[in-house]
């Protein structure tokens, strides 16, 4: 059985493939199916956007599809950028580095520590059927200097306080033990196994 990972974000795709590697199913990406669709994230919650993405990819492919919506919420910015993390800088061509710089500029007059957490909601959609949602969080702190080369997005400025390393200083294997996405995917795992059993 094939399960579609409904994302065009290479960083997310790599992490999802690694976390779900032991599923008894073939994990495929939109590109591998020749699917070139862009889903507008017009929802105001992670759940709405994850459902929109998984639903669109599932309709286009006819496959059981998993998609996530995720973001970084900073306490002293009342949860910003949150669900808008990807669009924090409204320019469509903005880079991850520019978004990190923009966030740091917004934080520059706020007292530290800049407590924050990543959140991820995973939606699992069965074609013509159910939607199931799973959540995961990872708590830490935004720091003003970039550290580490791994990961993507806000990883270089997100510090895991108890180990004093940024998310970008972790190997993918280490990140996949602690990340919001890993926690949400691990919560989804038993439901995915059941769907695969039912379909095979
Ligand atoms: P979306 O889920 O496609 O809306 O994108 C979420 C955005 O949040 C990404 O483009 C990143 O900027 C940020 N983000 C989500 N998860 C992570 C992560 O694991 N590391 C760093 N940034 C992340």
């Amino acid at each position: 059985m094939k399960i579609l990972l409904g994302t065009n974000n290479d960083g997310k795709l790599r992490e999802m493939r690694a976390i779900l590697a032991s599923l008894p199913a073939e994990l495929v990406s939109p590109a591998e199916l020749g699917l070139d669709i862009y889903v507008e994230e017009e929802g105001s919650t992670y759940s709405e956007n994850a459902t929109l993405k998984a639903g669109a990819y599932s309709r286009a492919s006819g496959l059981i599809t998993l998609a996530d919506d995720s973001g970084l919420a900073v306490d002293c910015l009342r949860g910003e950028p949150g669900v808008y993390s990807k669009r924090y800088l409204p320019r469509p061509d903005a880079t991850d580095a520019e978004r990190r710089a923009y966030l740091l500029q917004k934080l520059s007059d706020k007292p530290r520590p800049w407590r924050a957490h990543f959140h991820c909601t995973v939606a699992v959609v069965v074609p013509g059927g159910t939607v199931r949602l799973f959540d995961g969080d990872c708590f830490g702190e935004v720091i003003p200097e970039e550290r580490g080369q791994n990961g993507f997005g806000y990883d270089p400025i997100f510090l895991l306080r108890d180990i004093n390393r940024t998310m970008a200083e972790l190997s993918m294997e280490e990140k996949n033990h602690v990340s919001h996405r890993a926690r949400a995917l691990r919560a989804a795992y038993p439901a995915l196994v059941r769907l695969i059993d039912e379909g095979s």
Side-chain angles (χ1 to χ4, degrees):
M1 178 188 285
K2 287 184 180 173
I3 293 187
L4 176 59
L5 304 177
T7 179
N8 292 314
N9 177 322
D10 288 336
K12 285 186 182 183
L13 205 53
R14 271 194 300 276
E15 291 176 16
M16 287 175 170
R17 280 190 193 284
I19 295 162
L20 300 176
S22 59
L23 273 181
E26 185 186 349
L27 303 175
V28 292
S29 68
E32 284 163 351
L33 297 181
L35 279 181
D36 186 15
I37 57 174
Y38 177 76
V39 186
E40 195 65 54
E41 296 184 16
E42 51 195 22
S44 57
T45 63
Y46 294 109
S47 305
E48 281 177 85
N49 284 334
T51 303
L52 278 174
K53 288 187 247 186
Y57 279 108
S58 173
R59 279 191 299 280
S61 66
L63 296 176
I64 294 175
T65 301
L66 177 158
D68 88 340
D69 196 56
S70 45
L72 175 69
V74 183
D75 291 5
C76 65
L77 296 178
R78 282 181 280 169
E80 270 189 35
V83 74
Y84 303 104
S85 292
K86 194 169 74 179
R87 296 155 287 166
Y88 202 27
L89 263 180
R91 283 194 353 258
D93 60 339
T95 63
D96 280 346
E98 288 171 327
R99 278 185 281 268
R100 292 194 294 272
Y102 183 64
L103 174 62
L104 291 179
Q105 179 214 316
K106 286 222 165 190
L107 284 169
S108 57
D109 61 350
K110 310 273 187 217
R112 290 183 64 194
W114 300 323
R115 305 252 181 186
H117 71 278
F118 277 119
H119 179 84
C120 176
T121 299
V122 162
V124 176
V125 168
V126 178
T130 53
V131 182
R132 291 199 57 190
L133 298 168
F134 305 89
D135 294 296
D137 291 294
C138 178
F139 290 84
E141 173 187 340
V142 174
I143 55 167
E145 71 285 352
E146 303 215 343
R147 282 167 39 183
Q149 304 295 325
N150 303 328
F152 66 95
Y154 298 94
D155 283 345
I157 55 169
F158 185 83
L159 185 77
L160 297 151
R161 293 162 63 91
D162 44 348
I163 55 171
N164 191 29
R165 288 161 79 193
T166 68
M167 205 73 126
E169 290 178 309
L170 303 184
S171 66
M172 187 172 69
E173 201 183 17
E174 290 170 324
K175 179 175 175 183
N176 286 347
H177 274 293
V178 297
S179 81
H180 49 309
R181 184 163 302 99
R183 289 176 206 270
L185 288 171
R186 280 201 293 270
Y189 197 95
L192 290 167
V193 170
R194 268 196 305 280
L195 286 172
I196 293 165
D197 280 349
E198 287 164 11
S200 54

